[in-house]
Amino acid sequence: MSRITIEDKMKTIYFDNNATTQVAPEVFEEIGPYFCELYGNPSSMHNFGGQVGIKIRQAREKVAELLGCEPGEVIFTGCGTESDNTAIMGTLSAKPNRRKIITSRVEHPAVLSVCRQLEGQGYELVEVGVDSAGRLDFDAIEKQVDDDTAIVTIMYANNETGMVFPVERIAELCAERGVIFHTDAVQAVGKIPINLSRSKIDLLSLSGHKLHAPKGIGVLFVRKGTRLTPFMLGGHQEGGRRAGTENVPGIIGLGKAAELAMKNFEEVNNRIKRLRDKLESAILQNCTDSRLNGDADNRLPNTSNISFEYIEGEAILLLLDKYGICASSGSACTSGSLEPSHVLRAMGVPFTAAHGSIRFSLSRYNTEDEVDLTIAKMPEIVNRLRELSPFVAK
Ligand code: PLP
């Protein structure tokens, strides 16, 4: 059986941070004692459990500080998907007379599949589109929000292109018209500033493993006064809003990750953006028939989605993998065939380009050397695959 050694790990160049991130060493150190030493149940009456309860309270305060909200507005969940599902289902059951849901065609499946299932159950679903640069059609939302709308759910930033959507403007529009607004901010938190104290957003989802906390911990922000039917019923945890014994290491880890994210926020994200820009512009310049999927502006600082005409994204990934470079492609395997992603299709990216798309997503742990090595390898990989491509005239 093959095992990944420490040396292999050291060779890995990880540009797939929108898929998941490395747990920060400081986070790992912080959560260590909560497995075998301080393993009490935070709900217990004894002091052993009570100490854990105090750490959970502190973690909640840190997350609230990162988001600019009240600690009481933070509900810990099991993941970003659970937060998204709860926000949508919980709002609908709190407003059963309203039958319209508004979302976008480029949401993550954690939102889109819930909305489509609800459409199958009789809800009216409006999916607004994006333009060829991945920019959201705000006017379409403005036209659709009405008295029958139960919820508008639009992501803060897209996971594939990194495009940032005008969610604050949409939240204001919804507030003016008395409609609940939820945003999936799983990709945005920690990468761009978010301040919920100056916002009209009612509900917001985030996920720990996208910001250097462990997997299996999420948050749903619910603004004070927002009616929400709990999704998980049982014990009184999270103020009765999300039952189930808390994922103590996950919560404490997320608290630490939030604290780290706030440290030198601007400086860290500017550095990531500089590396991303260097990688992106060199690839676009050195690889023929390549194009950026997304707008130069209004993008997360860490994400770059590039299409390479006439070749398969999966083939690029395999060759990158030989050098230990991890990225991801814009196709998904559906019933045995590779389908271009729904996001690139919504942008109208031509089939030949959508198939050859690669997403590079960086984090604070990436270095200039890693970027330079990838810049050096990409033209070689692309040219080699083009030589084999049946779509290129020889
Ligand atoms: N929403 C977005 C935009 C995502 O990118 C992801 C994960 O990739 C999710 C939701 C789901 O989060 P989780 O993996 O924590 O369930």
Side-chain angles (χ1 to χ4, degrees):
M1 202 171 77
S2 72
R3 281 189 51 212
I4 297 177
T5 65
I6 298 284
E7 274 155 29
D8 290 333
K9 163 77 189 85
M10 282 164 69
K11 279 187 239 139
T12 299
I13 297 179
Y14 190 73
F15 288 142
D16 201 12
N17 287 280
N18 286 8
T20 197
T21 60
Q22 175 195 330
V23 170
E26 297 91 331
V27 168
F28 187 60
E29 193 183 338
E30 182 89 4
I31 66 182
Y34 294 89
F35 288 94
C36 299
E37 295 156 48
L38 301 168
Y39 50 81
N41 187 323
S43 300
S44 297
M45 289 300 288
H46 44 70
N47 187 41
F48 186 62
Q51 291 173 63
V52 180
I54 292 170
K55 282 298 283 191
I56 288 187
R57 197 189 72 216
Q58 290 167 348
R60 198 184 305 280
E61 285 166 2
K62 287 282 178 227
V63 173
E65 199 183 330
L66 176 67
L67 297 177
C69 68
E70 297 295 322
E73 295 173 318
V74 170
I75 301 176
F76 290 114
T77 65
C79 55
T81 301
E82 185 192 324
S83 302
D84 287 341
N85 276 244
T86 306
I88 299 166
M89 300 290 209
T91 305
L92 294 186
S93 44
K95 291 207 170 187
N97 296 331
R98 296 191 174 207
R99 305 299 297 172
K100 187 174 181 180
I101 301 166
I102 301 175
T103 190
S104 83
R105 281 170 63 195
V106 297
E107 297 297 311
H108 188 274
V111 166
L112 213 43
S113 49
V114 181
C115 293
R116 287 180 182 167
Q117 190 185 62
L118 288 161
E119 185 184 28
Q121 292 167 9
Y123 278 89
E124 181 192 351
L125 177 63
V126 177
E127 292 180 17
V128 300
V130 293
D131 68 11
S132 59
R135 287 177 296 233
L136 190 79
D137 186 353
F138 177 81
D139 294 345
I141 295 181
E142 196 168 25
K143 281 192 200 116
Q144 287 289 346
V145 182
D146 58 16
D147 288 352
D148 194 36
T149 309
I151 188 168
V152 177
T153 172
I154 300 286
M155 66 203 321
Y156 215 114
N158 186 268
N159 44 304
E160 292 190 31
T161 60
M163 289 299 293
V164 177
F165 294 150
V167 289
E168 296 295 351
R169 232 173 115 205
I170 302 168
E172 271 172 33
L173 172 84
C174 289
E176 277 165 22
R177 298 185 189 175
V179 171
I180 293 289
F181 179 67
H182 163 251
T183 185
D184 173 345
V186 164
Q187 293 294 344
V189 173
K191 296 173 188 159
I192 50 175
I194 292 177
N195 187 346
L196 291 168
S197 73
R198 287 196 252 112
S199 161
K200 297 279 187 221
I201 292 169
D202 298 300
L203 301 129
L204 175 144
S205 307
L206 72 85
S207 174
H209 74 103
K210 310 287 183 180
L211 69 148
H212 307 291
K215 293 163 186 61
I217 180 72
V219 162
L220 179 62
F221 155 82
V222 183
R223 190 172 295 284
K224 207 167 150 188
T226 306
R227 279 175 57 199
L228 185 86
T229 309
F231 193 47
M232 302 264 278
L233 299 174
H236 58 269
Q237 293 90 355
E238 299 300 291
R241 295 171 299 176
R242 199 276 188 182
T245 301
E246 297 87 341
N247 170 2
V248 172
I251 292 172
I252 294 173
L254 181 55
K256 186 69 188 176
E259 184 189 317
L260 295 172
M262 285 184 277
K263 217 161 117 187
N264 309 322
F265 190 99
E266 225 182 292
E267 191 189 321
V268 169
N269 282 299
N270 283 345
R271 185 184 151 272
I272 294 172
K273 183 176 183 303
R274 191 183 61 72
L275 289 181
R276 189 276 312 267
D277 288 347
K278 181 178 182 184
L279 179 72
E280 178 175 292
S281 57
I283 291 176
L284 290 172
Q285 205 177 341
N286 302 341
C287 299
T288 51
D289 291 321
S290 59
R291 53 176 269 180
L292 179 68
N293 294 315
D295 195 8
D297 304 316
N298 297 320
R299 225 174 354 131
L300 293 175
N302 78 320
T303 308
S304 185
N305 189 314
I306 301 176
S307 275
F308 302 89
E309 285 272 7
Y310 318 121
I311 52 180
E312 293 280 344
E314 286 60 41
I316 303 174
L317 287 186
L318 287 176
L319 293 185
L320 280 172
D321 205 36
K322 284 195 161 181
Y323 299 109
I325 302 168
C326 307
S328 69
S329 79
S331 306
C333 193
T334 335
S335 19
S337 71
L338 281 173
E339 286 287 326
S341 85
H342 69 292
V343 176
L344 299 182
R345 272 187 283 142
M347 289 163 68
V349 175
F351 201 70
T352 49
H355 263 298
S357 76
I358 296 289
R359 178 189 69 188
F360 297 95
S361 48
L362 282 64
S363 82
R364 62 173 180 260
Y365 295 113
N366 289 122
T367 65
E368 190 111 27
D369 284 350
E370 292 176 336
V371 166
D372 290 341
L373 185 97
T374 310
I375 290 172
K377 295 294 174 201
M378 275 306 287
E380 180 189 313
I381 290 172
V382 169
N383 292 338
R384 195 170 141 198
L385 292 172
R386 289 250 171 83
E387 276 166 25
L388 302 171
S389 171
F391 304 109
V392 181
K394 302 287 182 314

